[in-house]
Amino acid sequence: MNDLILKNIVKFITPCIQLFGIYIILYGHISPGGGFSGGTIIASSLILQHITFGRSSVHTIFRKDRALKLIGFSLILYSLMKGYSFLSSQFHFPHPPTGVPGSLLSGGFILPLNILIGIIVSCTIYIIFTLFANE
Amino acid sequence: MKLITSLPLIEILILFISAFLMPFVRKNKNIKIVSVTALTFSFILSVVIVINVLQNGAFYFNTGYIDTILGIQLYIGPVESLLNSLFLFVIILVACFSFFTIDSEIRENRIKLFYIMVNLLSASILGVIFTNDIFNGYVFIEVAALTSCGIVVVKETQDNIKAALKYLIMSTIGSGLILMGIAFIYSFTGHLNIDLIHQAILEDYTQYQKALLITIALFTSGLGVKSAMFPLHTWLPDAHSTAPTASSALLSAIVLKPFAFFLIKIMYRMIGFDLVNQFNIITIILTLGCCGMLFGSLAAIFQKNIKRLIAYSSIAQMGYIFFGIGLGSPFGAAIAVYHMIGHAVTKSALFMCSGLMIEKTGYKTIDNYKGLGHEMPITFALFTLGAFSMIGIPIFPGFISKWYLSIECIHLNQLLLIFVVLASSLLNAVYYFPIIINGFFGIENLKNKEYHSKKVETQKLLPIAALILAMVLLGAFSKNILDFISPELH
């Protein structure tokens, strides 16, 4: 992919896509969207980068083994948090504050869970892409 | 009390979290330790649950807020607790067996993946058993489908990938059918909780008879694909025979059963015995069960490969379970559950024995096992005991489920069905006895065979011996077990 127009446009558009993905993840609990859709958007920006600038451009910051560990870590955090919220009402453990409805920091566990889902989905979809991309 | 009711969820969480911990563990040896520690913890908790159910009876667990019907609900009755602890027992022993055999069967960097899959699979199976919410059940079924394809494909040979793809496609179709069934039932009852659906159906099922019929048909075919009901079984022999030994033991012994149990839940707890008996589907399940019993055994007779033979035998044994469900009586369902337990213990032992035979002789075909009983007597003796249970020799669980199935047929005045049970047992004998007889007896067969020459390490034999011991105990205490599980299904 040695097209100058493509390279310049991708350079410009990648941060925009990623910002949009992060927006969708963060506002998942008060507007349409959430971890899964935001995660796929971020993964699509990584895939675009991979196609235009080659494997090395992504792999300098995002290696496969590191991504797997990131997924594992996020999944552990996710299951601990979700397990806590399932079990806590039985024992009357404290809940996180729910905040003012409509503001960004509200909804208790939903925001951190959405962020974790976003990380898991973006890593997974990018790894699935690398399985099929032959170099 | 509150702690005890939340134990089922803690059990599932332990298994999931241990699976996600494994990517951080470097050495393969430590991964095995993590896997089996988590399984053992869950097993201990499951024993506590069984004791609690024995003392205080069945209980519910609501996730999230306590008094709401919106959350996911788990229901733990006698059957659930018993299935849970016995399945975990079998999984632990298969995992212990795999410690010593898996290294020679799959690539070194895949071992981590295998144990992640095993833990996820056991967690999802526990979820399917416990859940009282059909959509939650669907999610766990999906996890189980993907992970069971994973433990087939870890071996990475050509046959293996082909078999796993076939399995994946078939079980995805099954999941789709189940999801459609859930959509149908949700559209006219407005609930996903099994108890609430039951109430809603009892109130006004007369208006929705066709929709109810379609729902039952969708659930039956969808879960039938996953638990290898007769005409939908085509994925099973390939997947089970090409997988590594430990995987095929797990798949055949454990993975087929929760789906059949979920069908029992749908049929008898969600829709109810009286209502189910009004539909013809129950007769269809009975007929397909009979066909599975006969054709599974008939196909097994012509198999040369020992693992394929045992896989076809699984289809026949699943036929018994569907036969029990299809009788349409509470006791029939109880026998189906008993057969699940008995078959889980026996079939895993048989698969592990066959794995050892393949490993020691280097051949997969039965013709090469002549006189093998002289060379590896203990393994072959254990294989013989397992085969006796499959055929239905008294004391063993296979005999007991066949006996009670026949008695239940007499109660229901369907005498012809006894001949099906009898014919299937005889067919079982036709393919198991030649292996045993050629293994132990015959002057031709025993020529040039040295006694105990192919020595099997003790640590590989111990799990099999424990399973066979459990099998004999299950047979001996069958009365107590049936008393424990049958009032639940009344």
Side-chain angles (χ1 to χ4, degrees), chain A residues 69 72-73 75-76 79-80 83 85-87 89-92 95, chain B residues 2-3 5-6 9 13 17 20-21 23-24 61-64 66:
Chain A
K69 279 186 184 155
F73 181 69
L75 279 171
I76 290 171
S79 40
L80 285 177
S85 81
F86 277 161
L87 292 172
S89 63
Q90 292 269 331
F91 306 106
H92 302 287
H95 277 286
Chain B
K2 273 177 187 168
L3 185 67
T5 53
S6 46
L9 185 67
L13 274 176
I17 293 174
F20 303 141
L21 267 178
F24 299 100
F61 173 72
N62 283 319
T63 59
I66 298 172

Side-chain angles (χ1 to χ4, degrees), chain B residues 185-206:
Chain B
I185 206 135
Y186 183 70
S187 66
F188 68 87
T189 59
H191 292 296
L192 289 171
N193 187 308
I194 288 180
D195 295 337
L196 295 176
I197 292 174
H198 183 61
Q199 283 169 16
I201 287 176
L202 283 186
E203 272 167 27
D204 51 7
Y205 78 94
T206 40

Side-chain angles (χ1 to χ4, degrees), chain B residues 72-117:
Chain B
I72 298 162
Q73 197 175 41
L74 305 181
Y75 171 75
I76 296 93
V79 184
E80 281 87 353
S81 60
L82 192 70
L83 279 180
N84 162 30
S85 60
L86 268 161
F87 281 180
L88 275 174
F89 175 72
V90 175
I91 293 173
I92 291 172
L93 287 175
V94 175
C96 289
F97 177 81
S98 73
F99 284 4
F100 312 108
T101 55
I102 200 76
D103 296 291
S104 59
E105 280 183 294
I106 61 178
R107 286 219 318 262
E108 204 189 335
N109 57 350
R110 293 285 178 241
I111 288 174
K112 193 184 267 186
L113 199 65
F114 177 77
Y115 284 101
I116 293 176
M117 292 297 173

Side-chain angles (χ1 to χ4, degrees), chain B residues 190-265:
Chain B
H191 292 296
L192 289 171
N193 187 308
I194 288 180
D195 295 337
L196 295 176
I197 292 174
H198 183 61
Q199 283 169 16
I201 287 176
L202 283 186
E203 272 167 27
D204 51 7
Y205 78 94
T206 40
Q207 296 171 30
Y208 300 108
Q209 274 180 331
K210 291 257 162 60
L212 202 58
L213 181 68
I214 292 171
T215 315
I216 303 174
L218 284 170
F219 273 118
T220 308
S221 45
L223 291 165
V225 172
K226 285 172 178 292
S227 50
M229 190 193 247
F230 164 64
L232 311 167
H233 66 272
T234 45
W235 55 269
L236 186 141
D238 294 335
H240 288 199
S241 62
T242 55
T245 308
S247 306
S248 29
L250 271 185
L251 287 171
S252 194
I254 307 294
V255 180
L256 296 173
K257 310 296 186 321
F259 307 124
F261 178 63
F262 199 64
L263 187 64
I264 294 181
K265 264 188 178 180

Side-chain angles (χ1 to χ4, degrees), chain A residues 22-44:
Chain A
I22 290 169
Y23 165 78
I24 284 188
I25 291 174
L26 289 184
Y27 280 77
H29 57 300
I30 43 181
S31 64
F36 192 88
S37 30
T40 40
I41 291 169
I42 293 178
S44 70

Side-chain angles (χ1 to χ4, degrees), chain B residues 350-423:
Chain B
L350 280 179
F351 258 117
M352 294 198 291
C353 286
S354 71
L356 287 181
M357 288 179 204
I358 292 169
E359 189 192 321
K360 291 292 162 190
T361 56
Y363 296 109
K364 285 186 172 178
T365 43
I366 301 166
D367 301 339
N368 295 306
Y369 294 158
K370 285 177 180 158
L372 201 62
H374 210 59
E375 288 179 313
M376 36 200 307
I378 303 171
T379 317
F380 224 84
L382 293 173
F383 183 85
T384 309
L385 289 176
F388 279 172
S389 169
M390 289 287 140
I391 296 161
I393 308 281
I395 297 185
F396 296 115
F399 167 76
I400 286 155
S401 42
K402 282 171 197 180
W403 175 258
Y404 280 118
L405 278 177
S406 313
I407 287 180
E408 189 63 13
C409 292
I410 297 171
H411 274 301
L412 298 171
N413 221 358
Q414 291 174 310
L415 296 177
L416 268 179
L417 292 176
I418 297 177
F419 289 102
V420 179
V421 177
L422 211 62

